[in-house]
Amino acid sequence: MAPLATVIGLGAWITYATVRVFMHDHYWVEKYHYLTPFYSPCVTDRCIPEASHFGQYLPGWWIIPDAAFTLPFLLLFRLTCYYYRKAYYRSFWLSPPACAVPDGHASYGGETRFPLIVQNSHRYFFYFAVVISLINSWDVVLAFRSPDGFGFGLGNLILLGNVIMLWGYTISCHSCRHIIGGRLKHFSKHPVRYRAWGFVSWLNVRHMQLAWITLGTLALTDFYVMSVAAGWISDLRFIN
């Protein structure tokens, strides 16, 4: 049941995300400066100019995602994540479907050949994920500045909550934990890094939950921005 649930969950999210990425529409709310994370930063010449916070550098071909500079690295960061590797190895590949359960492979070659050798680059994709989280954070800040001045609505809460969860997932990464304290020999000589390592270690225990939570918050944020941009619903405003 566990592998089946993972296949259904990940399969549904991948289907939704793929459709949204290639819709090339309903990603920007001009009135409130809401930009969905699936299109951030928007860098093709098809993008709405106000949504292109970092310029437009790529042609607007339908096959090119509007966030082509970030989506590949986000995908690689998640694909090489230790938890996701466990999840899709056991569910999609049934290799193995659970601990102490044999699979159908005659031999085990490890992650020593292409394409699985790319899994060893996870620590480098972590740095890209940090940069992308900073970009998403900047989008949240800009969303508080509507054309009429400072504004605050339900969309701001959703965008902010999504970014907080994304930061939680990113810094709970095993690579982040190692970067902060993995090379220290004497924690007593580095009290600040030790406290940071303890906090990241606390998050690291919850890495699996954060992985699924962020899939949910990403889909919710995108669907809400799409709904407001398409005129299906109106944003609930608290200020301006």
Side-chain angles (χ1 to χ4, degrees), residues 16 20 23 26 222-234:
Y16 173 82
R20 278 295 290 139
M23 276 182 64
H26 305 319
D222 176 78
F223 187 79
Y224 186 83
V225 172
M226 176 177 63
S227 300
V228 176
W232 301 339
I233 61 173
S234 298

Side-chain angles (χ1 to χ4, degrees), residues 72-73 75-82 85 88-89 110-126:
F73 294 106
L75 178 63
L76 288 169
F77 178 61
R78 297 230 173 200
L79 279 176
T80 59
C81 166
Y82 296 126
R85 283 150 70 172
Y88 65 78
Y89 280 16
E111 296 168 339
T112 58
R113 298 188 301 271
F114 184 83
L116 294 185
I117 196 172
V118 178
Q119 306 284 32
N120 298 302
S121 301
H122 178 66
R123 69 195 73 176
Y124 304 111
F125 298 133
F126 164 75

Side-chain angles (χ1 to χ4, degrees), residues 176-178 180-182 184 187 192-202:
C176 178
R177 183 171 179 265
H178 178 73
I180 291 177
L184 297 181
F187 279 131
V192 175
R193 290 183 63 185
Y194 173 68
R195 291 180 66 87
W197 178 83
F199 175 69
V200 171
S201 298
W202 178 81

